[in-house]
Amino acid sequence: MTLPKHVRLVEVGPRDGLQNEKQPISIADKVRLVDDLSVAGLGYIEVGSFVSPKWVPQMAGSAEVFAQISQKPGVTYAALTPNLKGLEAAIEAGVSEVAVFAAASEAFSQKNINCSIDESLARFAPLMEAARENGIQVRGYVSCVLGCPYEGEIDPARVAHVARELFTMGCYEVSLGDTIGTGTPGKTRQLIETVSRDVPRDKLAGHFHDTYGQALANIYASLLEGLCVFDSSVAGLGGCPYAKGASGNVASEDVLYMLNGLGIDTGIDLDALVAAGQRISDVLGRANGSTVARVRSGVS
């Protein structure tokens, strides 16, 4: 299969990248990050999450962030909303697109959201109905598609079942998440081949963590399978509190560098993206998680 001419990157840094940070991050710094990403040319930015601050304290100011960012025409500014209450808060904040998440692992679902896979899907029914009534698009995530910290390998058929349910209930796109980063190119291609029997390839996206250094290889494998949407996080921010040892998401800068090398258009300015990642890394007081950024700055 030939490579796509255009790829859309879904930038999850402001939400997935920051949500597990323990140190306080100011609203101003979050707003600056989103605005920096907008300037860099990202067409889709997951800005925050409307969840209980009891569970995710770092996302408590999402409504304020949405109110203060400079929204550029043509850019999607989305939020994660795990339930109807979250959707209602997102609507009040003026959010035009939201995301929901389910797992392909029963054990992970119980650890993460205290319910079974089927129960989690049932909870989305009123949310999906309300989203339709308000003209809001919904994107779906499936966690642990290539491995689970509690169950080990996951049968691709189970992933296909969850993806099909999300797609059938109205998610316009389903992102397949290698939450603990154990996937390899061969298994990635097998997964996509299986899931695409139930959900069209042009409705699938890839979300790869780089725990074993396989994220870029898995993205390339996904490109060969016809996928052209990938989630990534500036400076490689993020991780998973329920997945021991899982490193951050694949760095947006590294994905962009690879795509540029393949001649694939994204509309994103690499220099501006590197600057955005370095700025938030400095705010957090940590090393930049992007290999491209580190090389460009002379840091090994």
Side-chain angles (χ1 to χ4, degrees):
M1 184 175 288
T2 58
L3 297 175
K5 295 181 178 180
H6 179 81
V7 159
R8 175 163 62 89
L9 290 188
V10 172
E11 175 57 55
V12 301
R15 194 277 300 176
D16 195 18
L18 298 181
Q19 68 177 4
N20 298 321
E21 291 291 329
K22 303 301 180 184
Q23 62 176 297
I25 305 171
S26 71
I27 297 299
D29 283 330
K30 293 177 182 178
V31 170
R32 178 61 184 271
L33 173 59
V34 175
D35 287 348
D36 283 349
L37 294 167
S38 295
V39 169
L42 271 301
Y44 190 113
I45 304 171
E46 200 171 64
V47 175
S49 178
F50 290 88
V51 297
S52 169
K54 174 184 177 182
W55 300 113
V56 191
Q58 197 65 261
M59 292 291 102
S62 290
E64 294 174 78
V65 176
F66 269 100
Q68 295 180 36
I69 58 176
S70 298
Q71 298 197 24
K72 292 181 64 175
V75 177
T76 298
Y77 298 92
L80 188 72
T81 55
N83 50 41
L84 181 58
K85 185 176 180 180
L87 175 67
E88 292 169 346
I91 292 172
E92 188 175 342
V95 179
S96 60
E97 182 166 320
V98 300
V100 297
F101 61 90
S105 157
E106 286 290 353
F108 189 85
S109 185
Q110 291 289 352
K111 290 276 188 179
N112 194 6
I113 53 177
N114 266 330
C115 67
S116 70
I117 294 172
D118 287 342
E119 288 170 338
S120 71
L121 293 170
R123 290 179 182 178
F124 296 147
L127 183 155
M128 298 300 299
E129 182 178 353
R132 279 192 294 271
E133 291 174 353
N134 286 274
I136 293 177
Q137 287 204 113
V138 182
R139 190 172 189 259
Y141 285 106
V142 185
S143 303
C144 297
V145 299
L146 287 164
C148 170
Y150 313 109
E151 296 184 17
E153 290 197 21
I154 299 296
D155 185 346
R158 291 170 60 186
V159 181
H161 166 73
V162 178
R164 181 179 66 247
E165 291 298 307
L166 289 171
F167 184 64
T168 300
M169 69 172 59
C171 290
Y172 76 92
E173 183 173 272
V174 179
S175 177
L176 305 176
D178 183 15
T179 308
I180 59 173
T182 56
T184 56
K187 290 182 178 179
T188 295
R189 297 192 73 169
Q190 179 186 7
L191 173 71
I192 295 170
E193 175 65 32
T194 300
V195 177
S196 64
R197 296 169 193 157
D198 294 287
V199 181
R201 292 171 197 251
D202 63 353
K203 302 298 181 182
L204 294 173
H207 182 121
F208 297 100
H209 282 220
D210 206 30
T211 312
Y212 284 81
Q214 297 293 293
L216 290 179
N218 289 335
I219 289 173
Y220 186 74
S222 301
L223 289 169
L224 294 176
E225 288 296 324
L227 267 62
C228 57
V229 181
F230 299 96
D231 304 348
S232 61
S233 179
V234 67
L237 298 175
C240 180
Y242 301 98
K244 184 178 180 181
S247 63
N249 296 290
V250 64
S252 301
E253 301 93 321
D254 299 353
V255 178
L256 180 57
Y257 183 82
M258 182 182 75
L259 295 175
N260 286 348
L262 292 170
I264 297 174
D265 174 59
T266 61
I268 303 169
D269 184 319
L270 180 58
D271 290 334
L273 185 60
V274 168
Q278 191 56 55
R279 186 174 289 114
I280 190 61
S281 295
D282 291 342
V283 167
L284 297 173
R286 64 170 55 182
N288 195 313
S290 161
T291 299
V292 169
R294 293 197 304 271
V295 170
R296 286 189 165 212
S297 66
V299 178
S300 60

